[in-house]
Amino acid sequence: AIPNQIHTGEWLRTNEAVFVLQISRDTLHRRCRDGYLRAGEHFIASGPHRTSPRLWSIAAVRVAMAGWTGVLK
């Protein structure tokens, strides 16, 4: 991704994203904590607050998921 450029394509809220991606909410958030998914590239906040819902770039997350391995080292 080019810095400061938002991905085109489908952006969904967390509940919709986990359904479409067929992964759990816990997996999605764990992959963020582990650094696989990054703000601005894979997700954006829909508001200015820490608790604002996130919008997920389905295409970007799918690309990241393709590189996931079974065991984190």
Side-chain angles (χ1 to χ4, degrees):
I2 298 170
N4 299 321
Q5 182 175 338
I6 299 293
H7 283 275
T8 59
E10 191 171 27
W11 288 79
L12 300 176
R13 286 181 169 230
T14 303
N15 286 341
E16 300 161 320
V18 297
F19 178 78
V20 168
L21 296 167
Q22 298 183 356
I23 60 175
S24 72
R25 176 186 285 268
D26 289 340
T27 296
L28 193 64
H29 291 296
R30 184 174 50 253
R31 294 300 183 163
C32 284
R33 284 191 310 271
D34 293 344
Y36 287 100
L37 303 175
R38 294 176 299 281
E41 182 177 351
H42 300 101
F43 65 90
I44 56 173
S46 64
H49 306 289
R50 183 181 62 80
T51 58
S52 295
R54 288 181 175 175
L55 297 175
W56 300 87
S57 169
I58 300 306
V61 173
R62 282 188 173 139
V63 169
M65 287 173 64
W68 293 353
T69 59
V71 179
L72 293 176
K73 296 182 181 194

